[in-house]
Each structure stands twice: as C-alpha cells, then as structure tokens.
C-alpha cells in the first residue's frame, strides 16, 4: 500500500508540474510587458499579491471572486471528462440565475432553511436542463455540442433579459416603476455573509457559497472516481468505442454528463444571486464566468481538485487586478498573464493531441544533416 | 561487385525508444531478402529509413557502394528504391493508369497525356508480366490487383530495389502464390526485393536470404536452404516456441448460437452481410475464414450488439438476441475479444484495474448500488495479471503503457475470467508476438475443452486451420462453404475465399493447369 500512495503522489506531481511551470513562466513573460509599460514588475506583482491576499477582507474578496469560477470550472471539467466541450457554461450560468430568482419570488413566503435549498436546486436544475438540450441533440442526432452551446449562450442571455423586462420586473410583480433589473430576493432567500459568521472577514462580501463550491468539487471527485456513473462517463470520454463494447450507452452518458455539467454552471449563477447580487440586471453581454471557467478547467487539468486550485489562481488575478491598477499598472497586464498561462497549458495539450507534431519538432530541431559528397 | 544496398550500424532513436540499435543489412543484386521479426521489432522502421521517411540517428547507407544521404522519399526514388506499404496508398476513384502515373505524369503541353499514360502502363505491365486493366477503377478491383498496381507504380518510377511491407496480410493463399511468381519474375529481370514479414512459412517459400531482427537489433542473417521454420521462430522470439497447437478431438455438444439469413449494412449504408447463416455448438471452435472486408467485422459487431442488423435471426441458447443491446448480450454469457484492441477492447487512459472490469463494472463485487469497490477491483485485476501472465509493473499503470501482446492478454484474461458460455474471438492474435500467440491459442482450445462454444474470426489461414473444428468460409457477406477442420486444405479454403465453389473444383484445377502451362 505504501508504494501505491507514493506513486499516486508522483502521479499528482506529474499532472501539476506543467501547470505550475506555465504559471511561473507566464509571470516571467508578463514582467516583460510590465517593463514595456515603464513599470517595475516587482511593484506590480507585489500589488497583485498584496491586493488579493494581504488581510482577511482581501482574502475574502478573492474567495468571493473564486466561488463562481470553481463552479463553472468544475462544470467544464466534468463535461470534458465525458469528451464534451461545454462552451455553454455561460448560458447555463445565466439560466441558473433566472431560475433562482424566479423560484425565490414564487416561494418568497417560505422560511430560509427551506427556501435557500429550493432556490439553489432551481438554479442547478435550470442550468442542467439548459445543458441537456445540446446533450440530447448530440446523443440523438450527432449535432456537435460546441455549436449548440455557443448559440444557446445568446439565447439564454436575451431570454433572461426579456423576462427581466417583463414578468420578473418589479413593475409587473410589485407595482413598482419599470426597472433595469429583476425583483430583489428577500432576506430569507439570501446566503449568509461570511463576515456575519466570522467577523474576521471584515468588509468583504464573501458568502457561504464558497463552502458549497468546495463541497461540489469533492462531490464531483467522488462521482467521477468512486461511482459506476463516473466510471462510465470517463470511459465514454476516453474511448466511446470501447465503452460501447463494454455495454455502456454512449448517448445516455452524454446526456447525463451534460446535465450534471449544466447543474454546476447553474449553481454558479444560483450562489451568485443568492449570495451577492440578490437580483439579475439586464445586460448587453454576459458576465464571462462561463468563459473564464474554460481556462480554469484547462489549468486545473480537468481534475476537481485541480480546478479548486486554478479557480483560486484566477480569483487572485481578478481581485489583485484592482490594486495593480491603483499602482499605475494597466489592468490588461493581468489579462496578458492569464492569456500566457492558457497558451502554455493549451500548448502542451496540442502536443499531446498531435504526437506527430511533437516528433517533428524534435526531428527538425538540430539541422545537422547536410548532404555530404 | 558492391552490394546493391548496404546499411551499416543503423541506429534510430525515438523519444524513450531505440527502434533500431546498430542494425546491419545488405541486399544483393537479384535476391529476395526477407526482413523477419515480430511486430515492433523495428523492421518497418529500418526500411522507412532506406526509403527516406525517417533519417537515422546514426549509421551509414550505401547504394551500389556509394555512400548516400536519403533525406526524403524523392531521393530514395532517385536511387531506384520503391516501397509498397502495408496499407496501400492509392486514389480509390482513379483508374489504374491514373494511379500508376500519379506524380510523374506524361504531359502534352500542360495537359495530361492520358493516351501515353495508358500505353506506358500497358508496356510496363507486359514487360514484367503483371497483367492489369489500365482503365479499371481502383475501388472495383481486388486487393491482390491493387497490390499489383502498387508494385507497378514503383516500377514505373524506375525502381530497381523494391521494398514490400507485409504484402501478404491481405491476400488469399492463391494470391500469395501468385505474388511469389511475380517476385521471382522481377528478380529474374535483375530487380532486388526486400520483403518485410513476420510469417515464417512465407519466409521459407519466398526468400533467398533472411535477416532476423529482434528488439531493434539484428540477430542473424541466414541463407534460406540452411534454416528451418523452427530455427527462425526461435531466433525471432529469443526462445524455443511450440508452433503446433495441441488439440484432442472432442465431441461437440448442443447448438448454442444459431444465425440465420442475417443481413446488415456498413457505415456507408451499403449491404455487407447478405444472408449469413451458421451455427456454433458447445465444445467446438467454429472458425470464420475469409479475406478481409467480406463482412467479418460487421458480423462480429452484429453478434455482439455493436451494430444493428437489418433482418434475419440470431438465437443464443434458445433466447432471441437479434438487435439486443451489448449489455444484455454480455449478460447472456457471450464474451468478445475484439479485432481492434485499442479501439474497442481497452480504454487506453484507464488503468489496467479499471480495464479489467469493463463490461462487468456494474456487477458485484466490483460495485454495489452504484459505488465502485476499488480494493476488490484491484485485487481481481492483480489476479488476472498473475494468471494470464500480463507483463506490467502493476495494475495501476494505464493500458497504453503495455505492449500490444500484453494488452491483448489483458483483454483475453478479462473476457475468459467472466466464465462465458461462448467466446467470440475476432483476430485474437493480430499484431501480437509469437509467444503471446502460443498462449492465446492454448486458452482458446482450453475454452473449447471446457465445453464452451468458440467463434473464431481470423484472417490468418494458419490459425484457422490449427484451431478450428469446423471452418465456415465467408465471401461477400455470406457463408459460402463449411468444411471440417481436420479435412480442410489450404487450396480448398483459398478457392472458397476467392468466391469460387467446391463443386467446380475439378474444372478449376484443369483451368489452372492450362494457365500455368
């Protein structure tokens, strides 16, 4: 047994050494850009780190930004495990918020211990159903999920905007004037603020959604690696032909995986609404949590625990950005660093998918073979 | 006179693998030189370096005594080297003539001179006695014909040295014989031929000299007359092997699998099974013999629930399993060794432990109420690995880390440990080494001796004849003949495999004699 655990650590290190290296290199290259803008990289990175981690209320803000990214990262990682590229986390997130607010209004008279689970479930269900649409289309008709999920992102956004303007508007439901946002959730539908529970978090808006997010990662890990369902989903993701051979239904697992993936994105929306915004604003474009989730999943190597770590990294970058700006460094630098991390990690993935390319790189490397006569 | 080809101390390193380790190889004028070795021994890699597809890490190549640097296939062609690959590289919708001239087309101004092309092809095919119809379209002609086209293509480019990579894998026994005649005709005209193979019988029948390669190193170069199949097998594997299959006669039991008038389509919706009927009894090995592409793949897929049939009936132990789901077919007690182990048989990124329960993952003790019992799975997997001698550091490594032979052993282990009533083995020894072949054959016979039904689908006639109690020959989607295993002859099977009928055998024989004289 001793040996097994040892090799498991080695395996874990094997999986994460490349992302860690990528992050380090990204900061290194990012510093070139900082120098180009006429600033000192040490000052910039100090601002980034201090702005996101020095002091409990800053850590609280960082975790607040991390929470939805954990959910969307898990969502995309889960779909990836079944071989599906869920670009629709953004749309599923938006539908999650829509369902949460709707349920919050319908059941507004229930006490908090009942209402909060109901609205979170509603949000998850909304995201899940929204994701099941491309799942069913892929499983039954072979329509590629990337196309359907991208299109559904817009559908979700405009559908939600429509409901905010009409049936969910305070003017319709509460006889108020027309507003640019939905009805506001009551106190009994709101997740507790962390600083109420632990005053040490001070002025941060961190809510208990972070616990749900971390729990979701462990649930996903258990589901993927300890259940027959996870075994089937991973099998279909790695080799659908062999799965079929083993009596595993490809189409059922595709739908299942999309539904669960969508539920996770839906929960991102649900916890955001129930923990922070309490309403949905009409928006010309969506917030981008779903898209950042793709990067989070990629950096976290599609492993639930890897996603926790990489979501935290993206949370730190997002929160430290402001402090960097105050220090006079353009906030685009953070975007550049994010981009470089992704390029490095995706670069490795590309080499994995095209082993020939890898060989070619190695072969073409030293051009020593000159014709001798 | 200098050697036609001399390769000296060729070393080719890939990341993590040394494919060739200081290999020496010489080819003489007008000889057929076999390069013999197991799959993965480095035969094709060595020849790919001669043909310019790879450049050696170190070592030297001489052609007619002159040191050369073959950077790419165009250089190789310039030196008169032609290669016929295992998988043909022909443009299917083009005609024979168009394929042969492709890349060095005769032109009239800027236009293709198709008349000259056809005349050229006729001339060259007469010159070497390789009859082809220049106007036939590639996808209408037989595989044997396509191979001829490939050889002509190389000759058209002025090849003096021909490399044939596993040319017999796709041919019927008669076509193999014909290929032998063609090869000798070519060497009579001064061409030199390198034949890559792992089939020992062919070596003895076709070669002048043999170079044996094992694990990337050359073992020995022998003259045909001074060697034997047994010696070559030993050199190839590195130990003594028993090529004979020990099999006692056995009285078969009742019929287990009954297939009647089965029809199905392939992925392009073209009918491939056109009324296939046969049955398999308990305690017998029924082999389906045939040339690749006559519906074997689809037949096995239909029987195992991986492809939906159009019509017909399939009954197993009295139950109707027509259009049944794979899961239920496994439940019925049918195990399946798939023809493509990497595509169907294994999830390469899963560990051996996870692979060893594929198909029974929902059964106790491997899982209960949807929760996997990994300690039990690992224990079970270790048992499989030990009993079936799968060479691996542990059950925790990914299936992709194993060699082909060991991957196959793991699949065989998984399928047999399920204790099935019937085993469907589709090309169970394809691409595995001689040692593993011996092992797998023994296991198949063991199943039969234990009263299980075994359906063996194989393209290797030797395998079919060594193992089968009865042989059903499939041609164009139907069983065209059924022969007792002990009475079958290669010639008889070959005729059936080519679509002929045994009733006319006598006539055919006369016809053949007429042609040969």
């Amino acid at each position: 047994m001793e040996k097994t655990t040892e090799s498991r650590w080695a395996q874990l290190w094997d999986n994460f050494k490349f992302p860690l290296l990528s992050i380090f290199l990204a900061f290194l290259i990012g510093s070139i850009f900082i120098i180009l803008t006429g600033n000192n990289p040490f000052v910039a990175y100090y601002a980034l780190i201090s702005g996101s981690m020095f002091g409990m209320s800053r850590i609280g803000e960082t975790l607040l930004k991390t929470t939805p990214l954990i959910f969307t990262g898990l969502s995309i990682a889960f779909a990836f495990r079944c071989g599906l590229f869920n670009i629709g986390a953004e749309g599923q997130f938006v539908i999650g918020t829509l369902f949460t607010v709707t349920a919050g209004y319908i059941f507004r008279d229930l006490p908090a211990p009942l209402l909060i689970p109901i609205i979170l479930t509603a949000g998850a269900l909304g995201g899940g159903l929204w994701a099941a649409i491309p799942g069913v289309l892929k499983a039954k008709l072979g329509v590629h999920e990337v196309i359907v999920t991208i299109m559904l992102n817009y559908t979700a956004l405009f559908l939600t905007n429509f409901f905010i303007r009409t049936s969910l508007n305070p003017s319709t439901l509460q006889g108020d004037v027309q507003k640019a946002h939905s009805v506001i959730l009551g106190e009994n539908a709101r997740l507790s603020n962390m600083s109420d529970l632990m005053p040490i978090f001070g002025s941060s808006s961190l809510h208990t959604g972070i616990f749900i997010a971390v729990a979701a990662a462990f649930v996903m890990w258990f589901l993927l690696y300890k259940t027959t369902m996870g075994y089937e989903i991973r099998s279909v993701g790695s080799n659908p032909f062999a799965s079929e051979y083993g009596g595993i239904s490809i189409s059922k697992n595709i739908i299942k995986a999309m539904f669960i993936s969508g539920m996770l994105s839906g929960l991102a929306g649900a916890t955001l609404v129930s923990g922070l915004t309490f309403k949905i604003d009409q928006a010309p474009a969506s917030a981008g949590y779903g898209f950042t989730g793709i990067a989070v999943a990629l950096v976290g190597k599609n492993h639930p625990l890897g996603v926790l770590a990489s979501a935290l990294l993206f949370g730190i970058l997002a929160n430290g950005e402001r402090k960097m700006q105050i220090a006079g460094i353009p906030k685009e630098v953070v975007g550049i660093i994010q981009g470089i991390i992704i390029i490095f990690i995706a670069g490795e993935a590309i080499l994995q998918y095209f082993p020939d390319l890898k060989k070619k790189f190695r072969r073409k490397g030293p051009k020593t073979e000159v014709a001798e006569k | 006179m200098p050697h036609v080809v001399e390769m000296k101390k060729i070393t080719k390193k890939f990341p993590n693998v040394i494919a060739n380790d200081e290999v020496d190889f010489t080819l003489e004028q007008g000889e057929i030189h076999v390069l013999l070795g197991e799959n993965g021994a480095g035969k094709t890699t060595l020849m790919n370096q001669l043909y310019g597809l790879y450049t050696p890490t170190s070592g030297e190549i001489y052609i007619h005594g002159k040191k050369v640097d073959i950077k790419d296939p165009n250089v190789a062609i310039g030196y008169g080297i032609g290669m016929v690959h295992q998988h043909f590289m022909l443009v299917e919708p083009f005609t024979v003539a168009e394929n042969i001239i492709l890349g060095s087309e005769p032109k009239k101004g800027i236009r293709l001179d198709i008349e000259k092309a056809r005349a050229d092809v006729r001339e060259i095919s007469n010159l070497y006695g390789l009859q082809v119809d220049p106007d036939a379209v590639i996808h209408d002609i037989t595989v044997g014909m396509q191979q001829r086209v490939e050889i002509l293509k190389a000759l058209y480019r002025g090849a003096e040295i021909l490399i044939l990579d596993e040319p017999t894998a796709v041919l019927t026994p008669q076509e193999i014989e014909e290929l032998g005649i063609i090869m000798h005709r070519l060497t009579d005209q001064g061409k030199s031929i390198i034949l890559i193979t792992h089939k020992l019988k062919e070596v003895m029948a076709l070669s002048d000299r043999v170079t044996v390669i094992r694990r990337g190193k050359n073992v020995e170069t022998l003259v045909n007359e001074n060697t034997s199949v047994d010696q070559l097998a030993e050199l190839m594997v590195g130990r003594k092997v028993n090529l004979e299959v020990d099999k006692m006669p056995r009285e078969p039991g009742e019929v287990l699998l009954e297939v009647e008038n089965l029809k199905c389509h392939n992925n392009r919706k073209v009918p491939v099974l056109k009324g296939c009927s046969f049955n398999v009894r308990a305690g017998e090995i029924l082999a389906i013999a045939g040339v690749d592409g006559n519906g074997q793949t689809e037949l096995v897929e239909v029987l195992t629930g991986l492809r939906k049939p159009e019509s017909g009936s399939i009954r197993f132990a009295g139950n109707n399993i027509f259009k049944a789901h794979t899961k239920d077919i496994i439940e019925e007690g049918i195990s399946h060794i798939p023809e493509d182990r990497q595509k169907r048989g294994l999830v390469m990124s899963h560990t051996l432990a996870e692979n060893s329960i594929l198909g029974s993952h929902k059964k106790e003790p491997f899982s209960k109420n949807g929760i996997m019992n990994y300690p039990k799975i690992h224990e079970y997997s270790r048992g499989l690995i030990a009993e079936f001698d799968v060479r691996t550091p542990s059950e925790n490594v990914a299936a992709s880390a194993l060699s082909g032979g060991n991957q196959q052993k793991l699949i065989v282990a998984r399928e047999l440990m399920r204790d099935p009533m019937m085993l469907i083995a589709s090309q169970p020894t394809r691409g595995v080494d001689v040692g593993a072949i011996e092992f797998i054959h023994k296991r198949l016979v063991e199943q039969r001796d234990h009263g299980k039904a075994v359906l063996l689908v194989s393209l290797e006639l030797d395998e079919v004849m060594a193992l089968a109690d009865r042989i059903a020959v499939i041609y164009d989607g139907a069983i065209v003949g059924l022969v007792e295993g002990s009475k079958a002859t290669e010639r008889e099977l070959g005729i059936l495999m080519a679509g002929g009928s045994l009733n006319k055998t006598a006539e055919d024989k006369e016809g053949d004699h007429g042609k040969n004289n």
Side-chain angles (χ1 to χ4, degrees), chain B residues 19 24 26 59 64 76 84 91 103-104 123 180 204 226 232 237 262 271 274 279 297 317 326 373 435 457 480 493:
Chain B
D24 295 321
T26 55
H64 294 296
V84 175
V91 185
S104 40
E123 191 193 319
M204 296 311 294
N226 304 337
L232 289 175
V237 186
L262 192 63
K274 302 169 180 172
N279 61 53
T297 305
T326 305
N373 185 345
V457 177
V480 292
L493 293 174

Side-chain angles (χ1 to χ4, degrees), chain A residues 3-4 7-8 11 222 224-229 231-232 234-235 238-249 252 256 359 362-363 369-373, chain B residues 12 14-15 53 55-56 67 69 306 325-327 330 336 338 342-347 349-350 354 357-359 361-362 367 370-372 374 396 411 414-415:
Chain A
K3 215 174 160 193
T4 327
S7 70
R8 231 172 240 169
Q11 235 178 327
F222 183 81
L224 273 180
Y225 297 106
K226 297 290 159 193
T227 67
T228 50
M229 188 196 202
Y231 176 82
E232 292 198 347
R234 284 184 296 120
S235 299
S238 307
N239 185 348
F241 299 107
S243 310
E244 201 184 9
Y245 157 90
I248 298 168
S249 163
K252 269 185 208 159
K256 251 188 239 172
K359 238 184 270 166
R362 298 237 163 102
R363 197 146 60 97
E369 291 139 338
V370 186
E372 314 168 34
K373 279 269 156 95
Chain B
K12 176 69 190 172
F14 290 113
L53 290 168
T55 33
K67 189 167 178 219
D69 175 27
L306 295 169
H325 191 278
T326 305
K327 200 171 64 188
I330 294 173
H336 172 202
Q342 305 205 341
K343 181 182 166 195
R344 283 284 189 202
L346 296 167
V347 181
S349 54
H350 280 5
E354 287 191 306
I357 54 149
L358 183 65
H361 56 279
K362 283 198 164 167
S367 71
I371 308 293
M372 305 281 276
Y374 274 104
N396 288 313
I411 295 174
R414 177 182 69 207
E415 296 307 308

Side-chain angles (χ1 to χ4, degrees), chain B residues 221-240:
Chain B
T221 298
L222 300 151
V223 177
N224 185 312
E225 284 85 46
N226 304 337
T227 184
S228 66
V229 168
D230 289 325
Q231 188 196 3
L232 289 175
E234 197 182 329
L235 286 174
M236 190 159 106
V237 186
R239 63 176 171 84
K240 278 220 178 299

Side-chain angles (χ1 to χ4, degrees), chain B residues 145-157:
Chain B
M145 254 328 156
Q146 292 181 7
Q147 193 168 53
R148 258 182 217 193
V149 175
E150 281 280 12
I151 295 173
L152 280 171
K153 212 167 97 181
L155 294 171
Y156 184 74
R157 283 160 182 66

